[in-house]
Amino acid sequence: AGRVDKLRHQVEAAGGMERRYWVCAFCVNQHASICSDFGRPPANDPNGAARWEANCHDSLTSEKLPRCPCGEPKHFNDSPALCELNKFDDMMDFLVESVPGFRQLVAVDRNFDIFTRLWCIAELVQASLSAIPQTVCLLSDEVLDMDNADLSIYIKLANLKATECCATRPEDKAAIMAKIPDVYEFDAQLQALIFGTRGLLAKRLVGTDVLYAAVRAVVRISAISKA
């Protein structure tokens, strides 16, 4: 209780108690979609299968997570009108038009895996296209320090491709990819969103223009070679 009170006082001092957040995991009715099942494990993807298996278990106790027995009717891609999972772009357009000062907060995990989740990058690019201001919250800037000898995060981000990103349900990935008219252009927009002069990580990167130029060249060369 003491730690919670301390946190509450800190939030109050920062004037954040009345700030409201839209969190899809809470705002979307999970009982009308995924609460009763873990979905199918990814096929032909050992890393994805391992991640799926880990997500089926409590990260603290390692016990398998219980599945919800609520019996609420489920609506997925086969019933698009009733499904709540397929409307993030419409929801974002609505919020930015109806909520003064609306912006997107990007909470980046330790390993930057957020940028490998197709739902997440689709929302990031949609926010950029809808001119929604974006703020990035990192666990630490250390991994992005130009003096850091570990370049794995840079390599990971510079090689992002929508087709290689993952979603829990293959049907969701197919539905999102179907909304992308030009995958190579989408990939280029994603790189600009991350590395560009006004990108998500621009304030954290020294020499970001050089990095962005290099990444942009790689994306274009890759697109030409596959055309």
Side-chain angles (χ1 to χ4, degrees):
R3 296 175 65 183
V4 173
D5 290 340
K6 181 179 179 180
L7 178 60
R8 180 183 294 275
H9 291 321
Q10 291 175 337
V11 174
E12 288 176 343
M17 287 300 291
E18 301 303 319
R19 190 173 297 162
R20 292 175 293 175
Y21 292 86
W22 172 284
V23 181
C24 288
F26 302 147
C27 297
V28 170
N29 182 8
Q30 305 287 356
H31 293 291
S33 54
I34 63 173
C35 72
S36 63
D37 191 34
F38 297 123
R40 297 192 300 274
N44 304 317
D45 180 3
N47 291 333
R51 182 171 52 249
W52 176 89
E53 182 65 27
N55 289 339
C56 294
H57 294 78
D58 188 298
S59 59
L60 182 63
T61 65
S62 297
E63 295 181 0
K64 192 156 189 176
L65 296 170
R67 287 181 279 191
C68 178
C70 68
E72 178 81 10
K74 313 302 180 192
H75 301 288
F76 295 105
N77 310 73
D78 55 350
S79 53
L82 296 174
C83 179
E84 294 190 23
L85 304 176
N86 61 350
K87 300 176 175 64
F88 69 89
D89 42 1
D90 295 325
M91 178 273 296
M92 293 172 73
D93 282 337
F94 172 77
L95 288 176
V96 74
E97 291 178 3
S98 59
V99 180
F102 180 74
R103 61 188 303 112
Q104 183 182 58
L105 174 63
V106 185
V108 181
D109 60 285
R110 184 188 303 273
N111 296 317
F112 286 63
D113 287 337
I114 183 176
F115 295 108
T116 68
R117 303 295 298 174
L118 193 54
W119 280 109
C120 296
I121 65 168
E123 292 184 13
L124 293 176
V125 172
Q126 180 63 41
S128 180
L129 294 175
S130 299
I132 298 174
Q134 295 167 298
T135 300
V136 175
C137 181
L138 299 179
L139 180 66
S140 170
D141 284 348
E142 182 179 353
V143 71
L144 298 177
D145 193 319
M146 292 300 288
D147 294 327
N148 192 334
D150 185 359
L151 298 178
S152 59
I153 293 297
Y154 285 106
I155 295 171
K156 181 177 186 175
L157 296 178
N159 285 283
L160 284 180
K161 295 181 178 64
T163 54
E164 296 176 5
C165 290
C166 53
T168 302
R169 301 177 64 251
E171 298 90 340
D172 290 340
K173 180 172 182 176
I176 295 173
M177 294 300 298
K179 288 187 175 184
I180 302 175
D182 186 327
V183 174
Y184 297 124
E185 176 62 24
F186 182 90
D187 289 343
Q189 289 175 344
L190 179 60
Q191 294 296 332
L193 176 64
I194 296 172
F195 289 111
T197 54
R198 297 184 180 180
L200 294 175
L201 303 182
K203 293 181 180 179
R204 264 90 176 183
L205 296 173
V206 178
T208 186
D209 291 338
V210 176
L211 281 171
Y212 174 47
V215 170
R216 185 171 52 186
V218 170
V219 170
R220 288 179 175 174
I221 292 171
S222 177
I224 291 172
S225 66
K226 294 180 180 181

